[in-house]
Amino acid sequence: MERNIGVLISGRGSNLQSLIDAVANGRLDARIALVISNKADAYGLERARSAGIETLVLDHKAFPSREAFDQAMVDALRAREVALVCLAGFMRLVSATFVGAFPNQILNIHPALLPSFPGLHAQRQALEHGVRFSGATVHLVDTSLDAGPIVMQAVVPVFSDDTEDTLSARILAEEHRIYPEAVGRMLDGDWSIDGRRLTFG
Ligand code: GRF
């Protein structure tokens, strides 16, 4: 199916929910064919089940290597004929096995304006650095950490009385807005990549 997507999660799944909601209300023309979690207790699994979406738990610790774990994900996603894989709070690095199986077909959402503040605790990094603006980035996934070509970004202000929680909440609202939009535009296929630069239209 041309507009099948797979979503990879490890936890809360609020970005997964934003995709579920966008499909339900017609803002996103796609079908979430499978949600994979590497954690059996990820709350996002319940969100998927409530929406009638197929789920699969693959515990990375049960595999002999990262490649073997990634290959199991590739097999499951290929069997559902996904056109796009969306990482949504998936807390594992993916290997060349995975990236090579879905070239320019894997998206991630990161809670900062990349290339600033990659990695964990991006909102805390932004606060500690003293930036006046931060935001959210949807990017293509390659084997580097949070460093593939940028698909979409949204900016939020950072206020002097912000805490990690208040800034995270402000950024999260933008994540939920831009991720479904980015997924839809990538599925539409009217984009090209020149070096690092992804252009729509
Ligand atoms: C989000 O902040 C996302 O940007 C980051 O991990 C968090 C996942 O949250 N990659 P959720 O599981 O989607 O609620």
Side-chain angles (χ1 to χ4, degrees):
M1 269 268 296
E2 250 167 52
R3 299 184 76 95
N4 276 358
I5 65 174
V7 183
L8 273 48
I9 62 168
S10 297
R12 178 178 63 176
S14 71
N15 279 288
L16 165 65
Q17 189 69 55
S18 77
L19 296 171
I20 292 171
D21 292 347
V23 170
N25 69 26
R27 262 191 316 128
L28 173 59
D29 176 16
R31 175 175 169 268
I32 305 176
L34 182 64
V35 170
I36 300 178
S37 174
N38 66 314
K39 302 268 186 193
D41 61 353
Y43 180 64
L45 287 170
E46 290 183 34
R47 299 179 189 265
R49 289 181 196 124
S50 310
I53 297 166
E54 187 186 359
T55 61
L56 176 64
V57 175
L58 291 173
D59 178 1
H60 60 276
K61 294 192 293 296
F63 290 83
S65 65
R66 188 181 295 277
E67 285 68 29
F69 171 66
D70 282 7
Q71 190 59 52
M73 292 199 295
V74 168
D75 293 345
L77 291 161
R78 283 224 172 111
R80 276 77 177 180
E81 300 185 331
V82 304
L84 207 58
V85 181
C86 302
L87 276 51
F90 182 65
M91 302 302 286
R92 304 288 305 164
L93 286 173
V94 292
S95 67
T97 300
F98 195 77
V99 174
F102 299 105
N104 290 336
Q105 291 174 290
I106 311 168
L107 295 179
N108 182 42
I109 179 120
H110 183 76
L113 292 176
L114 292 172
S116 291
F117 316 125
L120 294 175
H121 308 299
Q123 303 95 330
R124 190 191 306 165
Q125 292 184 54
L127 270 184
E128 286 174 356
H129 197 90
V131 293
R132 281 358 184 218
F133 296 91
S134 190
T137 303
V138 178
H139 64 95
L140 282 171
V141 171
D142 56 24
T143 50
S144 57
L145 175 66
D146 298 331
I150 289 168
V151 175
M152 207 171 278
Q153 291 186 304
V155 179
V156 306
V158 181
F159 301 123
S160 52
D161 60 352
D162 264 332
T163 62
E164 197 177 341
D165 283 349
T166 60
L167 178 58
S168 297
R170 196 174 305 124
I171 292 172
L172 195 62
E174 291 303 301
E175 295 183 37
H176 296 164
R177 187 176 65 77
I178 67 171
Y179 209 6
E181 186 183 342
V183 169
R185 295 192 72 175
M186 291 302 288
L187 287 173
D188 289 343
D190 191 16
W191 53 269
S192 57
I193 296 184
D194 178 15
R196 285 199 46 86
R197 297 189 63 186
L198 186 144
T199 317
F200 289 107

